Amino acid sequence: MGKTRNVISTSARLLRLVSLLAAQPSWTNAELADRIDVTERTVRRDIAKLRDLGYAIESDPGPWGGYRLRAGSTVPPLILDDEEAFAVAVGLCEAALGGALGGERAALSALLKLRQVLPRRIIDRLDERDAAFVAAARAEEPHAMPGLLLELAAACREGVRVRLSYVDWEGRGTVRDVDPYRLVHAERRWYFVARDVTEGRWRAFRADAVGGLRPLGHPVEVVDAPDPALLVSRSFGAGSNPPTETVPGKEV
């Protein structure tokens, strides 16, 4: 049992050491030892372990020499505390919705990857934020919540049929089983491209009109998939604010 505790303690200490090295350009051995509450000899051993793991850590000789992560080296696993992880996730939400980075799809993809590895306590905080979040949209601009966009993106990634709650252009609620394919951002709107299982054709559902979705556990085999961007662009030709566009296709 004592050996297990020692392994856990060493792992936690190494993560803490990486976090400190990433937080500022240089640390002396004494400073690191003080922050981690270990001896300077232990710091030297831990630095050697991190180097063996592939971390490019440079050091200067002498009692006042410092340790630092080498600039331009391969990016090591990113270590974030709770507040940092929450801040990054919120920032990616804002980028995905507002186009601040010029690439909303990249921001949403990064947010999806981050959310998959976040602890439950941080995900709960993000869900609470989404529930209280209100965006002042531009005139006639719809708004899809980040949490819903993540669910739609996850459905596309996992390739499992889902039951979709949707409000059509006449305000009527409908429930459809669909095979997810892609999320498309166009004309300041998000579209969910999926095959309507009942109708046997591809559709572009407006994400802001999706009320919710539930995975059905049926794996999707994509056959005769359309160009998702082209499918969405055709909807613009059908009207100024079309709810969906369809393309015939075989039933999967």
Side-chain angles (χ1 to χ4, degrees):
M1 181 66 71
K3 185 177 181 181
T4 301
R5 284 199 300 268
N6 182 61
V7 170
I8 293 173
S9 175
T10 300
S11 298
R13 193 172 66 246
L14 290 176
L15 289 174
R16 175 62 175 158
L17 183 54
V18 172
S19 179
L20 289 171
L21 289 170
Q24 71 180 43
S26 180
W27 295 85
T28 67
N29 192 316
E31 288 173 333
L32 290 172
D34 181 64
R35 292 295 294 268
I36 304 175
D37 195 21
V38 295
T39 66
E40 294 184 28
R41 183 178 180 183
T42 298
V43 171
R44 286 192 290 271
R45 286 201 304 262
D46 288 349
I47 291 291
K49 289 187 178 101
L50 290 175
R51 285 169 172 163
D52 288 340
L53 292 172
Y55 289 85
I57 300 174
E58 297 179 333
S59 59
D60 297 320
W64 303 107
Y67 291 109
R68 60 185 176 275
L69 287 174
R70 186 170 63 217
S73 59
T74 301
V75 178
L78 186 62
I79 308 299
L80 301 173
D81 62 26
D82 283 12
E83 292 304 315
E84 291 169 336
F86 182 75
V88 170
V90 170
L92 288 171
C93 284
E94 298 292 343
L97 288 174
L101 301 179
E104 296 85 351
R105 284 176 293 180
L108 182 62
S109 176
L111 180 57
L112 177 62
K113 292 175 183 177
L114 177 63
R115 193 176 176 109
Q116 288 173 337
V117 298
L118 288 177
R120 183 72 249 175
R121 61 184 179 275
I122 300 179
I123 293 177
D124 288 343
R125 288 182 63 188
L126 290 171
D127 289 343
E128 291 171 1
R129 175 191 178 275
D130 284 350
F133 180 77
V134 176
R138 301 181 183 94
E140 300 182 358
E141 181 184 347
H143 176 71
M145 294 300 294
L148 176 61
L149 290 177
L150 284 172
E151 288 188 63
L152 294 173
C156 295
R157 179 179 180 277
E158 292 165 6
V160 176
R161 184 167 294 169
V162 298
R163 183 153 292 161
L164 191 74
S165 299
Y166 190 75
V167 179
D168 67 17
W169 66 279
E170 293 182 338
R172 297 173 302 191
T174 180
V175 176
R176 294 182 176 274
D177 292 350
V178 302
D179 291 341
Y181 183 50
R182 292 289 187 271
L183 264 183
V184 177
H185 188 263
E187 297 295 321
R188 298 187 298 195
R189 294 191 180 98
W190 283 98
Y191 290 87
F192 178 50
V193 175
R195 179 190 288 277
D196 188 310
V197 175
T198 302
E199 297 183 0
R201 54 184 175 179
W202 293 95
R203 304 182 64 175
F205 298 90
R206 265 181 39 189
D208 60 286
V210 174
L213 65 157
R214 178 168 63 87
L216 298 178
H218 178 77
V220 172
E221 180 182 355
V222 177
V223 177
D224 296 334
D227 180 321
L230 180 60
L231 175 60
V232 171
S233 68
R234 286 175 176 172
S235 70
F236 299 145
S240 60
N241 195 28
T244 62
E245 175 66 14
T246 62
V247 171
K250 299 176 185 176
E251 177 62 37
V252 176

